[in-house]
Amino acid sequence: MTDSLRIALAQLNPTVGAIAHNLQLALETLDDVAGQGADIVLFPELFITGYFPDDLLFKPQFVADAMEAVETFAKATAGRDITAIMPCVWREEHQLFNAALVCADGRIVARRYKRELPNDDVFYEKRYFARPDLQEPVTIKGVSIGIPICEDVWHPDVCAHLVNQGARLLLCPNGSPYWRDKQTTRYQLVTDRVAEDNVPMLYLNQVGGQDELVYDGASFGIEPGGRLVLQAKSFEPEILMSNWAQTPDGWRCTDPHVAPLSSVDEAPWRACVLGLRDYVHKNGFKDVVLGLSGGIDSAVVAAMAVDAFGPEHVHCLMLPYRYTSQSSLDDARGCAEYLGVRYDVVSIGDPVEAALAELQPVFGNRPQDLTEENIQSRMRGVYLMAVSNKLGSMLLTTGNKSEMAVGYATIYGDMNGGFNPIKDMLKMRVYELAHWRNQFRPDDCLGPDGMVIPQSIIDKAPSAELRPDQTDQDSLPPYPILDEILVGMVEEERSVAEIVARGEGRFDRDLVKRIERLLNIAEYKRRQSAPGVKITRKAFGLGRRYPITNGYRDTATDPAGAPAIAHDKGVE
């Protein structure tokens, strides 16, 4: 048995379904780490297929192609003094497993299967995979090594079994998505397993965006005693190389190195930028377009887009109507100038007036209401989609979580678009990140230093500007209050009574019940909204599945005659 090991953690960014691309990335990484003298290289969970492939796993040809790719990868280990642990889907007889394939000497020398399959939040692995018996360690260079896969480390019996069967190191491949303070949860989880079993664990996470999810990397290693000996960067691909030696106390890292992680303020911005960049690029686009209204949401999305792609790939349009204020025109132009993007002003005045004139015989003498307001929003949607179609840019939509929660958005209007980087961001968080970005720029962001969002945008009252002197608070409570209610109702699933009690008199039951009603009747809109980055534990869409037709209300019924669904920008 060797008394030293050089271990490489390949914190990489695969693409779901792109088997040939992921295989090539794995082969290049194998060459790289073998050249650096690695004894073992570990890849992230389901690396060959990308994590998570969802119902692609029901396609027999997809599974066959993935297994063939692993066989090809295993052959590349021939003639090298290295063992590669390659996670991939694997079929055995009529059962499908989430597997880690141990590759050495040009072949697959061992297979280990994920025991504990998540069936909550955003992953439903029991839909696809069989649950195996507790797995045994593998032997690499005479050292017994356990390979718990992701969810396995949440269950003490899996790691305990591996150690009881002789494992002296635990190597854990993961596909663990980001949410605020997630790394603290991971540290505590691994620290608990290491303390229970008295062996080190190396925790490898993938990096990159996959539809709504963002994987933040931040791989690490912890020794007995809770000592953090390895820490990779967050939100960046990296090969984390480390040396380990057998000591009287067990295996220990001989060259600890801990990289600083993104702060709790920086991490949400980087998550949104990475999620946006990967969604656009992995779907074959190079450029994006969005409406720049002079408000905070579109300004923040424009800044994220510039950080993701550079100003030369971002196109902003101001689409004014008679209710657009001069301050909004000035603020939108100022933001575009700060960011250095292409900026065009295209009036929607004539087509809106033409539409109203054509509809007048149908509308008759009915008074103006939300209908006329939403024609404006939908006309902007038509213009933006036309630019997207003609120029080949992906349209970004810019609604925040607070507005989407209560239906303060126009379906087929300002909800148009292919992706929304702030979809899971409450309104007050949008303001916080605007302040932060005006002071800081992460190293991997492509936008300018300094002010990128005019202070006047941050300071002014938010407004849809669909009628004279309109503000959001004409229809909604102040955003700090609304956001607090929504955190309790959406992210924490609290009852109306619990939310009212926690408000300590700052909001009453009638207001909380009103927000509950708006939340429920806007579900059909959210089903038709663009995907967006998940940055909280509970995001609309992936991870929160409520019925559209839903008669349940918390201990009270809606007023007689209330509509079943909400139709447009207004919330009542």
Side-chain angles (χ1 to χ4, degrees):
M1 181 180 73
T2 184
D3 60 2
S4 65
L5 288 171
R6 185 164 170 82
I7 301 174
L9 301 183
Q11 180 175 294
L12 301 175
N13 186 349
T15 300
V16 166
I19 292 173
H21 166 81
N22 297 337
L23 172 59
Q24 184 59 36
L25 181 56
L27 291 170
E28 292 170 0
T29 301
L30 181 66
D31 287 342
D32 181 9
V33 299
Q36 296 184 54
D39 297 301
I40 301 171
V41 56
L42 176 67
F43 290 85
E45 184 175 10
L46 291 183
F47 182 79
I48 289 293
T49 63
Y51 193 83
F52 190 74
D54 293 314
D55 282 9
L56 283 171
L57 293 169
F58 288 145
K59 294 182 72 68
Q61 189 60 52
F62 176 77
V63 173
D65 289 346
M67 293 173 64
E68 182 181 353
V70 178
E71 299 277 8
T72 299
F73 175 80
K75 292 175 183 177
T77 63
R80 305 175 191 254
D81 189 21
I82 188 171
T83 297
I85 302 172
M86 175 55 71
C88 185
V89 60
W90 198 260
R91 185 177 298 282
E92 185 173 310
E93 297 181 350
H94 300 295
Q95 291 184 308
L96 198 63
F97 294 96
N98 182 334
L101 294 312
V102 182
C103 305
D105 300 322
R107 60 191 180 91
I108 297 172
V109 298
R111 299 188 299 270
R112 294 295 182 266
Y113 299 142
K114 185 175 183 177
R115 160 82 171 183
E116 302 296 341
L117 305 175
N119 201 48
D120 53 19
D121 192 33
V122 296
F123 299 125
Y124 298 86
E125 292 195 21
K126 290 182 181 179
R127 175 177 169 86
Y128 310 101
F129 297 125
R131 183 175 189 252
D133 295 332
L134 288 167
Q135 302 288 282
E136 303 301 308
V138 299
T139 301
I140 300 175
K141 291 186 176 294
V143 181
S144 183
I145 292 176
I147 311 175
I149 302 174
C150 199
E151 184 77 11
D152 285 342
V153 301
W154 292 76
H155 300 264
D157 61 314
V158 175
C159 293
H161 174 80
L162 289 167
V163 173
N164 289 338
Q165 295 301 308
R168 294 297 170 258
L169 275 172
L170 298 176
L171 304 183
C172 179
N174 291 266
S176 175
Y178 165 83
W179 66 63
R180 189 173 176 86
D181 294 330
K182 181 70 171 287
Q183 191 71 356
T184 301
T185 301
R186 296 178 186 135
Y187 282 155
Q188 187 59 57
L189 179 71
V190 173
T191 298
D192 289 347
R193 297 293 88 80
V194 170
E196 292 160 1
D197 301 319
N198 199 37
V199 298
M201 183 184 296
L202 279 68
Y203 181 105
L204 169 64
N205 193 23
Q206 75 174 49
V207 68
Q210 171 57 32
D211 295 345
E212 295 98 327
L213 299 181
V214 173
Y215 300 90
D216 54 324
S219 307
F220 60 95
I222 289 181
E223 290 182 349
R227 183 184 178 210
L228 180 69
V229 293
L230 298 172
Q231 179 61 70
K233 298 175 183 177
S234 46
F235 302 104
E236 298 179 33
E238 181 180 359
I239 303 298
L240 184 62
M241 193 76 72
S242 60
N243 294 301
W244 294 78
Q246 175 70 48
T247 75
D249 296 322
W251 286 89
R252 296 293 184 267
C253 183
T254 61
D255 57 345
H257 45 285
V258 176
L261 294 176
S262 293
S263 69
V264 293
D265 296 315
E266 179 183 86
W269 186 274
R270 293 189 70 190
C272 291
V273 169
L274 178 58
L276 172 60
R277 180 188 294 138
D278 275 1
Y279 187 85
V280 169
H281 285 166
K282 289 180 180 181
N283 283 288
F285 289 82
K286 295 181 179 178
D287 305 307
V288 297
V289 61
L290 68 145
L292 193 61
S293 68
I296 188 68
D297 297 322
S298 62
V300 166
V301 171
M304 287 177 173
V306 170
D307 277 354
F309 310 113
E312 67 275 16
H313 294 291
V314 180
H315 184 187
C316 294
L317 283 83
M318 158 57 85
L319 303 165
Y321 185 55
R322 67 173 69 171
Y323 305 126
T324 303
S325 66
Q326 186 60 49
S327 66
S328 290
L329 290 164
D330 294 342
D331 288 340
R333 180 173 296 279
C335 186
E337 289 174 352
Y338 280 151
L339 292 170
V341 300
R342 177 180 173 181
Y343 175 74
D344 292 312
V345 179
V346 183
S347 173
I348 63 167
D350 289 344
V352 169
E353 296 300 327
L356 292 173
E358 292 294 330
L359 288 165
Q360 197 281 324
V362 180
F363 291 171
N365 295 324
R366 291 175 177 83
Q368 290 194 1
D369 56 18
L370 293 177
T371 305
E372 287 77 12
E373 295 182 19
N374 286 286
I375 287 174
Q376 300 167 48
S377 181
R378 293 197 173 104
M379 195 62 69
R380 291 186 173 107
V382 168
Y383 275 34
L384 289 167
M385 282 305 305
V387 172
S388 173
N389 293 160
K390 183 62 70 174
L391 302 185
S393 305
M394 180 179 286
L395 175 59
L396 304 182
T397 184
T398 61
N400 62 71
K401 188 175 188 177
S402 305
E403 294 171 355
M404 293 304 300
V406 296
Y408 198 67
T410 303
I411 195 166
Y412 321 125
D414 58 340
M415 288 175 62
N416 282 5
F419 197 74
N420 181 358
I422 63 168
K423 183 178 181 178
D424 195 30
M425 194 175 293
L426 293 167
K427 187 75 169 189
M428 296 311 298
R429 189 63 176 152
V430 176
Y431 281 108
E432 292 170 6
L433 282 183
H435 278 291
W436 178 86
R437 181 58 182 85
N438 277 345
Q439 301 173 66
F440 303 99
R441 181 185 67 84
D443 291 340
D444 61 344
C445 288
L446 304 177
D449 290 313
M451 179 86 65
V452 294
I453 298 169
Q455 189 63 40
S456 53
I457 290 179
I458 298 173
D459 291 341
K460 70 181 178 183
S463 171
E465 293 192 328
L466 298 174
R467 62 177 181 265
D469 303 318
Q470 181 184 25
T471 70
D472 290 5
Q473 268 57 68
D474 295 341
S475 304
L476 300 172
Y479 278 115
I481 295 295
L482 176 60
D483 286 357
E484 184 175 351
I485 294 171
L486 291 173
V487 167
M489 198 169 287
V490 176
E491 297 182 11
E492 299 174 356
E493 297 286 7
R494 293 183 181 273
S495 69
V496 168
E498 289 174 318
I499 295 169
V500 172
R502 193 165 63 174
E504 297 179 336
R506 287 175 294 109
F507 40 81
D508 60 20
R509 180 178 178 83
D510 287 345
L511 176 60
V512 177
K513 287 293 295 179
R514 177 172 172 247
I515 299 307
E516 179 201 32
R517 173 179 173 273
L518 295 174
L519 175 68
N520 286 325
I521 65 177
E523 182 63 33
Y524 92 105
K525 287 187 181 182
R526 293 190 290 269
R527 289 283 188 96
Q528 300 180 66
S529 64
V533 177
K534 181 182 187 293
I535 62 170
T536 67
R537 293 179 67 100
K538 187 73 73 172
F540 292 128
L542 188 67
R544 186 183 187 273
R545 292 170 170 83
Y546 269 62
I548 296 172
T549 305
N550 173 16
Y552 176 76
R553 299 296 182 265
D554 185 355
T555 72
T557 58
D558 284 340
I565 55 177
H567 288 283
D568 278 315
K569 183 77 174 187
V571 297
E572 292 285 20

